[in-house]
Amino acid sequence: MQSINVKTQAHSQGVDITGQVQKAVAASGVDQGWCEVFVPHTTAAVMVNEAADLSVLGDILNTLDKLVPWDNGYQHLEGNSAAHLKSVLLGATVRLPVQGGRLALGTWQGVFFMEFDGPRSRKAWVDVR
Ligand code: ZN
C-alpha cells in the first residue's frame, strides 16, 4: 500500500492525481491487475472523469454546489454537512484497471481528488495488485 499527499488550495476543488497514481502503479511492479484508490476523509472524495477539458471539472463542482447547498438546515454542528454529503455522492474509492504496468484509463479520463472542505493537507491510499 502506498500513499499520495494532496495539498488542496481552495474550499471546493478537484486535483488531478493521475500522475501520482500512475507513479504508484509503476512502483508496485504490477503488470496486469487492479489499482484501488481510497480517500480516508469524510469531506473529500475520489472520482474518474474528463481530464482533457477542465471546464467539465468546473461544471461538476458548480452543479454539486447547486445540488447540495452549504446552508440547508443541517443538524451537524461542525457546519460542513454539505461537504460530507458531496463526499457520499462521489464516494471514497475508485478501482482502475492496470495493463502493461500502466493505468488503462480511457483517452479522456483522469483521476481526481475531490476536496469539499479545504484548503487542507489530504491523503489518498493506493493499492495495486
Ligand atoms: Zn463535519
Side-chain angles (χ1 to χ4, degrees):
M1 189 88 68
Q2 302 173 69
S3 66
I4 287 175
N5 294 312
V6 182
K7 245 193 169 358
T8 60
Q9 316 286 341
H11 188 252
S12 242
Q13 183 187 13
V15 179
D16 188 338
I17 58 169
T18 312
Q20 287 166 277
V21 177
Q22 184 57 61
K23 267 188 199 148
V25 170
S28 75
V30 172
D31 185 62
Q32 301 274 330
W34 290 93
C35 169
E36 284 190 75
V37 182
F38 174 75
V39 168
H41 304 289
T42 60
T43 55
V46 61
M47 73 167 194
V48 174
N49 213 282
E50 170 84 41
D53 179 359
L54 288 180
S55 64
V56 174
L57 181 60
D59 287 343
I60 290 169
L61 290 167
N62 287 336
T63 302
L64 283 170
D65 280 342
K66 286 184 184 137
L67 289 172
V68 187
W70 191 257
D71 294 311
N72 199 22
Y74 306 114
Q75 295 182 31
H76 179 46
L77 291 175
E78 195 186 6
N80 62 351
S81 274
H84 290 284
L85 286 163
K86 290 174 188 173
S87 169
V88 167
L89 288 175
L90 268 62
T93 308
V94 292
R95 193 160 186 257
L96 311 161
V98 174
Q99 287 180 349
R102 295 191 55 80
L103 292 173
L105 292 169
T107 306
W108 310 112
Q109 286 180 321
V111 186
F112 291 89
F113 183 97
M114 300 297 286
E115 173 66 81
F116 298 121
D117 196 18
R120 295 187 195 221
S121 288
R122 301 289 207 171
K123 160 164 131 174
W125 290 108
V126 182
D127 185 38
V128 191
R129 59 182 74 202

